[in-house]
């Protein structure tokens, strides 16, 4: 994956886009740190389809997330606490 400083990506955007389309994803850096990746739209769509649901989607879902075993009420054993005396 080729790395482009943000200034170069901006100044040579056409070349940056062409590289993405012919060579694949292109990394953009800002002040030397990785900041973003430009990917072809087909790759983006593939990634979107293979992505797992977000935590928000899972929490809002009507589907069960796991089998939850809940003991019947009144079946728990309790410790006997000595009475002060």
């Amino acid at each position: 994956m080729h790395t482009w400083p943000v200034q170069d990506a901006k100044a040579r955007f056409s070349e940056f886009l062409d590289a993405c389309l012919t060579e694949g994803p292109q990394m953009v850096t800002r002040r030397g740190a990785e900041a973003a990746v430009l990917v072809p739209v087909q790759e983006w769509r593939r990634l979107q389809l293979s992505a797992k649901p977000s935590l928000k989607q899972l929490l809002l879902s009507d589907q069960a997330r796991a089998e939850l075993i809940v003991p019947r009420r009144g079946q728990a054993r309790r410790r006997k606490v000595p009475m002060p005396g």
Side-chain angles (χ1 to χ4, degrees), residues 5-59:
V6 71
Q7 303 88 337
D8 290 350
K10 286 169 56 177
R12 299 169 28 206
F13 188 78
S14 238
E15 183 182 342
F16 175 54
L17 180 59
D18 288 342
C20 172
L21 297 174
T22 59
E23 301 170 24
Q26 303 291 303
M27 176 72 64
V28 179
T29 60
R30 178 180 281 165
R31 292 183 217 103
E34 294 177 343
V37 176
L38 180 66
V39 295
V41 72
Q42 300 90 343
E43 179 73 6
W44 174 253
R45 288 187 177 129
R46 185 189 68 76
L47 291 169
Q48 288 293 94
L49 289 174
S50 67
K52 295 180 181 176
S54 69
L55 178 59
K56 179 181 177 181
Q57 290 169 326
L58 286 174
L59 292 173

Side-chain angles (χ1 to χ4, degrees), residues 76-84:
R77 295 184 185 197
R78 297 177 188 210
R79 292 187 298 159
K80 292 187 179 183
V81 179
M83 298 295 273

